[in-house]
Amino acid sequence: MAFQQEAVGKLWEELGRSYNLSAKLLALLSQPSHLLDSHGQEMAVAISQELSQVFRASLSMFNPGNSGRMVEGRATAPEAAIMEGSISQATPAIISGEEVTPPRIGKEEEITAEPYKDGYKWKKYGQKNIKNRKFARLYFRCMHSHERGCRAKKQVQQQDSSIGSPPLYKVIYLNEHTCHQAFPNVNITNANVPATSTTTRNGADFDHARRHLHVGGNGELEDRIMTSTFSTVIGGAAPAAPSLSPLQSPPPVEASPSDPASYDTGGGQSPSLLDLSMCLDETMMDEMYFSCGSPFRPVEAPAAPWSLSSLPPPPPPPIEASSIDPAAYMPSRGGHSLSLDAMTMAEIFLWSSPLFSPR
DNA sequence: TGCATTTGACCCCA
DNA sequence: TGGGGTCAAATGCA
């Protein structure tokens, strides 16, 4: 209980910080493009990075399993961070150019519905029927195990109790990746930023960051998942969002109390907003993103600094899906999407503010 | 034809 | 000795 209170408090603070960051970013990006020099771009990149980390930390508090996964045996990094009261430090992040993501050491187990989407490339090398198991256990090693000597392996075992939909898998990770080549071809959001801008003011290097992001290094994907998940949480939570098109409404969730994938929603609250966020797959997220752009209307850059007591009420005005110009929100997929991220995150926060009440 | 996957055999360990 | 993990030849596919 006390832990939940503390977690909510931390979450509250993290969201407040993200609100401030998004405000700064909006102010920065609202300048005419010709006025945004390389220093300004560096600032925008740095703020966007930090904003991304804040949202990642916040969502991890919502969902300790990270993108629908739960870790057995020990707390995930953000979860542990909450316990230790140092969220930002244990959140997958690059601080002063140093990796702070706790390395995967030894053996780690997860229950996930998507055992093959962890950001790394795996090569299957074996399959074995296990005694008293309905499903065979699959054995994978890192694709770079030979040429780079990466010793990372994983075992995937479909849960016996997961017959039907959605199937759940127990994934056992063995050894740390030493290849650091997750998603080598992915474009990160600052792809169009000049080369001189890849090093931020605090020394964070984007290539370094991309190599070391916790979940496979796909920062853009993570950011999009984060944003979309938040959209779903808000859309599903706020009855005051009648203007949202059905496309943006979360699909119904059939939560089973006995389902190990179900989350403790704090007792009796059902369906949880958090549960609603669990049922987004990437296709839905892409649809949300690329067919409508942001589901929310643009807002003015809010005044900073933000304070706990000064949250503006969120009057969501009706929006027409057809009135949204995707180009205004999505400069390009895989390109420089800072404006979208900042805009969407700020809008998301405006919408979500009534969901969180000060302690 | 090259690469990824499958699958039976082999090895190791409790 | 049996179960789990790995190897490597066979197979499938683009």
Side-chain angles (χ1 to χ4, degrees):
Chain A
M1 275 309 178
F3 168 75
Q4 286 186 345
Q5 286 278 357
E6 184 181 358
V8 169
K10 291 290 183 185
L11 176 59
W12 184 247
E13 293 173 10
E14 287 294 303
L15 287 173
R17 193 158 69 92
S18 70
Y19 187 81
N20 265 336
L21 288 168
S22 67
K24 291 177 185 175
L25 192 54
L26 275 176
L28 197 61
L29 294 172
S30 63
Q31 299 180 43
S33 58
H34 65 278
L35 293 179
L36 197 61
D37 57 10
S38 61
H39 178 69
Q41 289 180 349
E42 288 178 17
M43 277 188 64
V45 168
I47 293 173
S48 177
Q49 266 195 319
E50 192 173 351
L51 195 55
S52 175
Q53 291 162 15
V54 170
F55 269 90
R56 191 173 292 117
S58 302
L59 280 173
S60 296
M61 291 178 224
F62 269 141
N63 175 10
N66 228 344
S67 300
R69 292 185 296 176
M70 294 183 296
V71 175
E72 289 182 345
R74 65 179 178 86
T76 60
E79 191 176 20
I82 298 171
M83 296 174 181
E84 294 161 8
S86 60
I87 295 161
S88 58
Q89 288 185 5
T91 300
I94 306 299
I95 298 176
S96 302
E98 294 297 322
E99 177 186 6
V100 296
T101 299
R104 174 175 285 136
I105 300 173
K107 179 178 174 180
E108 184 175 286
E109 298 180 4
E110 294 181 359
I111 303 295
T112 176
E114 294 185 341
Y116 310 111
K117 294 183 179 180
D118 58 8
Y120 287 95
K121 289 184 176 180
W122 300 95
K123 179 180 177 63
K124 183 179 176 181
Y125 67 88
Q127 175 174 330
K128 187 80 174 180
N129 289 322
I130 304 300
K131 190 181 180 182
N132 297 328
R133 292 282 189 174
K134 292 187 178 71
F135 303 98
R137 180 173 299 170
L138 312 182
Y139 299 88
F140 299 85
R141 64 165 58 98
C142 178
M143 190 70 86
H144 307 294
S145 60
H146 285 109
E147 68 266 33
R148 292 173 197 169
C150 182
R151 298 178 60 238
K153 293 179 184 177
K154 79 171 180 182
Q155 302 171 4
V156 176
Q157 172 79 62
Q158 183 172 348
Q159 299 290 80
D160 292 346
S161 59
S162 69
I163 300 176
S165 60
L168 291 174
Y169 303 84
K170 181 181 217 174
V171 183
I172 302 173
Y173 291 96
L174 301 165
N175 301 326
E176 170 75 353
H177 276 280
T178 56
C179 51
H180 298 305
Q181 287 296 322
F183 283 109
N185 298 323
V186 72
N187 283 328
I188 58 177
T189 54
N190 67 326
N192 293 339
V193 176
T196 54
S197 298
T198 55
T199 300
T200 60
R201 283 190 305 161
N202 61 2
D205 173 76
F206 262 94
D207 287 337
H208 185 85
R210 182 180 59 179
R211 284 195 302 271
H212 291 277
L213 273 177
H214 186 49
V215 187
N218 191 346
E220 181 192 14
L221 178 61
E222 279 189 81
D223 290 345
R224 292 198 292 116
I225 290 173
M226 242 176 354
T227 306
S228 299
T229 303
F230 236 97
S231 302
T232 306
V233 170
I234 296 157
S243 54
L244 292 178
S245 70
L247 179 62
Q248 290 135 15
S249 300
V253 173
E254 295 179 6
S256 167
S258 60
D259 186 353
S262 299
Y263 278 78
D264 178 8
T265 58
Q269 297 178 3
S270 65
S272 164
L273 306 180
L274 312 186
D275 290 337
L276 295 176
S277 72
M278 297 291 297
C279 49
L280 268 187
D281 61 20
E282 286 182 40
T283 304
M284 294 164 59
M285 292 174 185
D286 280 350
E287 286 177 359
M288 287 178 63
Y289 239 91
F290 298 111
S291 62
C292 294
S294 167
F296 307 105
R297 71 177 181 91
V299 295
E300 297 296 326
W306 175 87
S307 70
L308 286 175
S309 59
S310 64
L311 267 180
I319 56 171
E320 298 292 338
S322 60
S323 69
I324 297 174
D325 178 12
Y329 293 82
M330 286 299 295
S332 64
R333 184 172 191 170
H336 198 305
S337 60
L338 282 173
S339 58
L340 169 76
D341 291 344
M343 191 76 75
T344 307
M345 289 177 174
E347 293 157 13
I348 285 170
F349 192 81
L350 280 175
W351 275 63
S352 62
S353 56
L355 300 178
F356 312 102
S357 56
R359 287 157 291 177

